[in-house]
Amino acid sequence: MAIHGNTIGEVDEAPVASLPHDAADTDTLAVDPALVEEVRTGLQQQPKRLSSRFFYDAEGSRIFQAIMHAPEYYLTRSEYEILDTYKAELLELFAVGDRSFDLVELGAGDGLKTKILLSHFADEQADFAYAPVDISADALDGLVADVRSQWPNLRLNPRHDDYFNALEQLSEESDSRRVVLFLGSNIGNFAPDEAVDFYRQLHDRLHPGDLVLTGIDLQKHPAIIHAAYNDRQGLTRAFNLNLLRRLNRDLDANFDLAAFDHYETYSPETGEARSYLVSQKAQTVRIGALDIDVPFAWGEIIHTEISRKFTPAQIEQLAQQAGFRVVTSFTDCKGYFTDVVFEKV
């Protein structure tokens, strides 16, 4: 399935005609060097892989917004419920003794869930500043405009930067306690060693007593998890295939989207949901901007995403390995999802 605006239709794109590599004007392409390196290495190894970080071009972001409203995709609704139910308790944790704090959101996006907290904190006249951080300038500009229109008196300090640079800069500019939001179970997209390394880097940029509120998807019945990444509307399929569309546009590739399919697995033993693109025939794809040809066998995969699900014991272990302690956690009414408060010690 593919999404165009708010409509859904079958993928019926013909292969993009490729130019001879000496005729392609690659200098005029707005090529992300990280994407170039990812494709160069990822599509020439076995098994082939592409990082999920490249899902989120403009079309991918639109598709993901639709996914969040799909009936099978419980994650957004579960975390929304948690933040709405426990917003008062969270404010008490963040503003102990009425102290000021900086609310720093990593990967803020459209701030849908965070606005629950902003609204409550503003109503309670909490002494805080909001610092959304995002690598997407468009997403950040839209969020900032929306927040300013709703809460014109809110201290706003947006950062178009990567997470760790933004945290270092904020540390130099403010003596307030920092409360870092890392919502949406984004930590599930990291391999185990990468997750520990991420939190260690976060730990190194915080002061003792600073907090991290992390959204984490819990292990549960495998059918519930599998359905969340394999919805009946075909939204997740469209999201996965859009990665190939991006390579066609940005790297002068000629992927035939109709010749690839979306495949999802979930292992209750490892707690890992994995997404793949599967070649439906033997074919060769030209990546014009890289001047390479990539062969695919029938049934060959490209691994595109991992979404890990955690047990409470694994969450505790992750915090300890990174130098944090678990202060408390909040769970939705079904026990599907948890938001955990880490403190730097």
Side-chain angles (χ1 to χ4, degrees):
M1 306 292 283
I3 296 180
H4 305 281
N6 294 321
T7 63
I8 304 172
E10 294 296 323
V11 171
D12 56 2
E13 295 189 19
V16 176
S18 62
L19 297 171
H21 73 268
D22 57 350
D25 186 11
T26 56
D27 289 338
T28 64
L29 297 175
V31 178
D32 178 353
L35 177 61
V36 169
E37 184 60 26
E38 178 70 18
V39 172
R40 189 187 305 278
T41 58
L43 293 187
Q44 296 191 92
Q45 62 181 233
Q46 292 296 330
K48 293 179 171 66
R49 62 157 181 82
L50 291 170
S51 171
S52 60
R53 65 176 288 197
F54 299 107
F55 278 146
Y56 298 94
D57 63 352
E59 179 69 0
S61 296
R62 283 193 293 270
I63 297 172
F64 188 68
Q65 292 298 315
I67 288 172
M68 290 194 297
H69 295 286
E72 300 92 340
Y73 195 79
Y74 59 84
L75 291 87
T76 303
R77 291 189 301 276
S78 298
E79 189 165 37
Y80 194 98
E81 175 197 319
I82 292 169
L83 298 178
D84 190 44
T85 302
Y86 297 105
K87 54 184 180 284
E89 289 86 345
L90 288 168
L91 180 56
E92 289 180 6
L93 282 169
F94 297 169
V96 174
D98 293 326
R99 65 186 294 189
S100 65
F101 62 94
D102 293 328
L103 192 67
V104 183
E105 183 171 17
L106 306 183
D110 65 358
L112 173 68
K113 291 171 287 190
T114 308
K115 290 170 187 172
I116 300 170
L117 302 182
L118 297 181
S119 179
H120 178 70
F121 295 174
D123 288 346
E124 295 297 313
Q125 299 182 332
D127 183 8
F128 78 104
Y130 176 46
V133 181
D134 208 292
I135 59 172
S136 169
D138 290 342
L140 193 62
D141 290 345
L143 173 61
V144 168
D146 190 33
V147 169
R148 282 183 172 148
S149 69
Q150 294 189 57
W151 301 283
N153 296 322
L154 175 62
R155 299 200 306 277
L156 198 54
N157 192 3
R159 299 288 165 149
H160 177 219
D161 206 338
D162 71 50
Y163 298 164
F164 299 126
N165 282 342
L167 280 169
E168 288 176 356
Q169 292 170 6
L170 289 165
S171 178
E172 296 170 358
E173 296 171 8
S174 172
D175 294 328
S176 297
R177 180 190 215 182
R178 275 164 299 172
V179 177
V180 177
L181 304 182
F182 192 51
L183 305 178
S185 197
N186 288 317
I187 196 60
N189 298 133
F190 292 76
D193 57 338
E194 293 172 339
V196 173
D197 181 65
F198 175 84
Y199 279 113
R200 282 178 177 162
Q201 291 193 60
L202 194 55
H203 179 275
D204 291 345
R205 289 162 175 82
L206 298 176
H207 300 304
D210 287 347
L211 302 178
V212 180
L213 179 67
T214 297
I216 299 178
D217 197 15
L218 295 170
Q219 293 187 18
K220 59 189 72 67
H221 195 295
I224 296 170
I225 295 172
H226 185 266
Y229 298 93
N230 200 35
D231 60 278
R232 285 176 288 182
Q233 296 179 71
L235 296 169
T236 310
R237 179 176 182 269
F239 186 58
N240 210 5
L241 285 167
N242 184 64
L243 181 56
L244 302 184
R245 183 183 288 108
R246 179 179 183 181
L247 300 189
N248 286 348
R249 182 192 67 234
D250 291 357
L251 298 184
D252 187 31
N254 67 342
F255 282 96
D256 177 1
L257 272 65
F260 287 84
D261 200 8
H262 165 72
Y263 183 70
E264 182 70 29
T265 68
Y266 175 68
S267 168
E269 290 186 315
T270 65
E272 293 180 352
R274 289 177 172 263
S275 295
Y276 301 92
L277 290 164
V278 184
S279 178
Q280 300 193 87
K281 64 180 182 181
Q283 56 185 309
T284 298
V285 175
R286 177 73 179 165
I287 314 290
L290 278 65
D291 191 19
I292 60 173
D293 295 303
V294 182
F296 287 87
W298 174 79
E300 188 173 359
I301 61 165
I302 306 172
H303 178 215
T304 56
E305 185 176 37
I306 180 174
S307 300
R308 295 173 59 222
K309 315 303 173 184
F310 292 78
T311 65
Q314 289 171 333
I315 296 170
E316 185 76 40
Q317 182 182 40
L318 175 61
Q320 291 177 356
Q321 288 177 322
F324 290 100
R325 75 176 184 94
V326 175
V327 177
T328 190
S329 62
F330 305 94
T331 306
D332 66 288
C333 66
K334 293 182 178 179
Y336 285 1
F337 198 95
T338 186
D339 278 282
V340 186
V341 180
F342 293 169
E343 181 181 19
K344 175 168 179 173
V345 292

